[in-house]
Amino acid sequence: MTGKKVSAAIVTYNRLDLLKESLGAVLGQTKYLNHVIVINNKSNDGTKEYLSSLTDERLVVFNSEDNLGGAGGFNQAVRLFAEKTDDDYVWLMDDDTIVQPDALEHLVDFAEEHDHVGFVNSQVRWGSLEGNPSWMNVPAPRGFTWQMYMTPKNPAVEVVNSTFVSVMFSRKMVAMIGLPQKEYFIWGDDMEYTNRIADVDRGYTVLNSIAVHKSKENSMPGDIVKEKDESRLWRYDFEFRNRVLTARRISKHEYMHTVINGFRFDLRFVLFNKNVKFRFTKAKMIIRGIFKGMFFNPEIEYADGLTRVPKRSINALFKARFLAMPKEIFTLDDDVKVINEASIEDYQGYTVAADNFILKQKADSLNKSASLFK
């Protein structure tokens, strides 16, 4: 384990004071840190000059000629990790993320000591170590397993997504699923990317890895109803568009659920709740964003030089099992066993529906592989 190497990656835009604090915390890690990639999104507050003055050999600085947005910045960061280093893991965070000195050590140790780990993230607190949980960074637990992890003896809770506030994944995972979706520009790129990972292997919040998120407010993610800052409204055009695509990539059910709830709850609350600021502007953004999301589908990019690694889909495993044994009732332990041990071929020969689904999955996989060599 002591031989593992990690590239940390920070995306920054016009927050020099926070960047200095964040960078200092990362460079002070107790173990495993080998590189720190800083993506400067065309800041005009002296960030470029500050970074050029630093002499730490671990630093890899990319000064973008354009503001790539958070999504474009993380896309570039993961690309640089994959193409310019030989490190084992990449660890992502915003410039307002202040990690504790042993945060990385706990993430790497957990990932190395457990099987089927797709990503690991830190427990995130808002403002200070004594602060409340940072609500926008609370990940969604995997519904059928989280209870067994809620014990002081267990170092982690299984989750199915994460924000890019102290999340780490491996070089092999990048080879499997590609790069973060730069076209998201801002908001939701982290959910989409970690959902991709969680469909291949399991994600965990490592409870003794602690990060502080010094965001301006401790708000819920994407809460357009309570938004009062007019300067932030433009972000919700991306929020609703990106939210729809992320759901569509999970399943048809999730896609329909997201679209319906966007109109049923977000739009209705914006129009009819009391004391909603910018009511009609927000309503237009919700409608426009949802409809854009229905047709938004940029291609996933892959880093140059990485050998593509075959992957299996947890969602496809469960669907194949259902089609093969539609009348069976499965326990939670059965579900965990599927994730840990099963392959889609295990469900061949049961029903015509299952066989057709498995053949389609294999054909889709072959088509994706063939497209890489065109």
Side-chain angles (χ1 to χ4, degrees):
M1 287 187 294
T2 55
K4 294 299 176 183
K5 297 182 294 184
V6 178
S7 289
I10 303 171
V11 176
T12 188
Y13 176 66
N14 280 343
R15 295 197 290 196
L16 180 55
D17 288 341
L18 281 169
L19 172 64
K20 290 178 179 179
E21 188 176 2
S22 178
L23 187 55
V26 170
L27 290 170
Q29 290 302 294
T30 53
K31 284 185 179 181
Y32 304 123
L33 186 74
N34 196 45
H35 292 99
V36 182
I37 300 166
V38 181
I39 307 298
N40 173 24
N41 260 339
K42 202 179 180 180
S43 300
N44 57 16
D45 63 348
T47 292
K48 183 177 181 180
E49 293 75 15
Y50 167 71
L51 291 171
S52 67
S53 73
L54 301 178
T55 58
D56 195 306
E57 293 182 353
R58 294 173 293 179
L59 282 171
V60 178
V61 176
F62 180 87
N63 290 303
S64 176
E65 295 181 359
D66 300 298
N67 181 0
L68 306 172
F74 285 116
N75 172 283
Q76 183 64 45
V78 178
R79 184 184 293 279
L80 287 173
F81 155 74
E83 297 179 358
K84 302 298 183 182
T85 82
D86 63 353
D87 294 342
D88 302 287
Y89 293 98
V90 62
W91 181 32
L92 305 184
M93 66 197 74
D94 291 319
D95 55 7
D96 57 359
T97 304
I98 315 301
V99 290
Q100 291 303 288
D102 57 358
L104 178 59
E105 180 179 348
H106 290 304
L107 294 179
V108 175
D109 286 349
F110 183 89
E112 289 295 305
E113 290 168 5
H114 296 81
D115 296 327
H116 296 288
V117 175
F119 68 82
V120 285
N121 61 23
S122 299
Q123 183 184 163
V124 184
R125 296 172 183 166
W126 180 66
S128 70
L129 284 174
E130 295 75 31
N132 288 328
S134 180
W135 301 124
M136 69 175 65
N137 306 119
V138 176
R142 191 182 292 280
F144 50 76
T145 63
W146 72 268
Q147 294 92 337
M148 69 179 68
Y149 295 107
M150 295 298 286
T151 164
K153 295 180 180 179
N154 206 310
V157 176
E158 187 180 0
V159 295
V160 294
N161 53 39
S162 172
T163 65
F164 284 165
V165 173
S166 190
V167 62
M168 189 189 81
F169 44 89
S170 69
R171 175 174 294 274
K172 180 180 178 182
M173 188 56 65
V174 176
M176 282 186 181
I177 71 164
L179 303 175
Q181 196 80 72
K182 67 178 186 293
E183 292 84 359
Y184 273 47
F185 191 74
I186 194 169
W187 284 4
D189 51 306
D190 43 13
M191 295 289 105
E192 190 277 333
Y193 194 74
T194 51
N195 275 331
R196 266 192 263 164
I197 296 177
D199 188 41
V200 176
D201 263 324
R202 303 165 84 164
Y204 295 91
T205 295
V206 178
L207 300 179
N208 52 7
S209 176
I210 306 295
V212 174
H213 194 194
K214 292 195 171 183
S215 57
K216 196 173 181 181
E217 296 177 354
N218 194 15
S219 56
M220 298 297 288
D223 190 353
I224 192 171
V225 179
K226 294 180 181 177
E227 183 61 70
K228 296 179 181 179
D229 186 346
E230 188 173 10
S231 68
R232 288 168 52 89
L233 285 182
W234 64 272
R235 302 176 184 218
Y236 290 93
D237 269 326
F238 295 99
E239 165 68 24
F240 283 90
R241 183 198 67 174
N242 298 345
R243 189 188 295 184
V244 171
L245 175 56
T246 297
R248 196 165 78 236
R249 286 181 171 171
I250 295 172
S251 68
K252 185 179 291 186
H253 171 78
E254 189 70 19
Y255 169 52
M256 295 304 299
H257 179 77
T258 299
V259 170
I260 291 168
N261 283 349
F263 291 115
R264 183 182 178 189
F265 296 111
D266 294 292
L267 183 60
R268 180 163 62 91
F269 292 163
V270 157
L271 289 174
F272 300 112
N273 276 19
K274 293 181 179 179
N275 302 317
V276 175
K277 295 192 71 174
F278 320 113
R279 189 184 304 275
F280 295 108
T281 299
K282 289 177 177 179
K284 290 177 184 177
M285 286 181 162
I286 293 169
I287 296 168
R288 183 168 61 236
I290 289 174
F291 278 105
K292 282 183 178 178
M294 294 177 180
F295 304 98
F296 179 55
N297 193 25
E299 287 189 16
I300 293 170
E301 297 179 294
Y302 290 83
D304 293 336
L306 288 188
T307 302
R308 290 289 301 278
V309 179
K311 63 181 180 180
R312 58 86 191 256
S313 163
I314 291 174
N315 291 331
L317 280 174
F318 282 122
K319 185 168 183 179
R321 184 186 66 174
F322 169 75
L323 292 172
M325 296 171 275
K327 296 183 180 180
E328 292 289 328
I329 297 175
F330 296 97
T331 67
L332 303 183
D333 288 341
D334 292 331
D335 289 348
V336 174
K337 189 173 181 180
V338 166
I339 292 175
N340 286 339
E341 301 176 10
S343 68
I344 198 167
E345 288 81 6
D346 294 339
Y347 302 107
Q348 283 183 313
Y350 285 84
T351 66
V352 173
D355 289 348
N356 288 339
F357 175 73
I358 293 167
L359 284 173
K360 185 178 185 303
Q361 292 293 305
K362 290 181 176 180
D364 289 346
S365 178
L366 287 172
N367 289 336
K368 288 178 182 177
S369 298
S371 68
L372 294 175
F373 300 99
K374 288 182 179 179

